[in-house]
Amino acid sequence: MGEAVHDRGLGGGGLGVASQPVRFASDFADAAVVLPLVGLVWMVLGPRGTRWAMACAGTLGAMLVLKAISFRLTAPWPFSPSGHTASAAIVYGGLAWVLLRPRAGRVLPGVLAACVTAGIRWTRLALGAHSV
């Protein structure tokens, strides 16, 4: 059995979780995954997915601006905007809204969006990539 690798975790203390499964889960909100997913879903949904795709593009663009601003500020900067968390919220939450809302009402898509977003946020904190 291979040696478990641990990352900094919350505040540098670590959560005692092996990094490979946590990184795997975190990668579901990485730009390399969400950007092609947005394009593919937009092509499949057509006009029905246009507002969702534009919201995704706007959110991801805003995150780029926030990251550029936070990187320019002098250390120690206590806040670190999470593009992964924003991606999870807008892409997977919006996708749940677009696909499930006609059948499932408003509650189920909202609960799914909150769960996915919270899960991705936890992975970013566990890996020590962001502050609280």
Side-chain angles (χ1 to χ4, degrees), residues 70 73 76-82 130-132:
S70 71
L73 297 174
W77 177 243
F79 304 106
S80 175
S82 175
H130 296 283
S131 58
V132 176

Side-chain angles (χ1 to χ4, degrees), residues 26-127:
S26 181
D27 284 344
F28 278 97
D30 189 75
V33 174
V34 297
L35 292 177
L37 177 64
V38 169
L40 178 67
V41 170
W42 189 22
M43 287 177 14
V44 169
L45 291 178
R48 186 173 144 208
T50 299
R51 284 189 290 177
W52 168 76
M54 294 299 118
C56 290
T59 300
L60 299 177
M63 285 308 301
L64 281 174
V65 171
L66 285 173
K67 283 195 174 277
I69 291 169
S70 71
F71 288 140
R72 295 290 298 163
L73 297 174
T74 57
W77 177 243
F79 304 106
S80 175
S82 175
H84 283 75
T85 303
S87 294
I90 193 67
V91 173
Y92 297 116
L95 189 58
W97 181 265
V98 168
L99 295 178
L100 297 177
R101 191 174 54 94
R103 283 171 267 172
R106 295 180 179 183
V107 175
L108 180 61
V111 169
L112 288 174
C115 289
V116 170
T117 302
I120 294 297
R121 181 65 180 161
W122 179 86
T123 66
R124 303 309 291 161
L125 291 172
L127 291 170

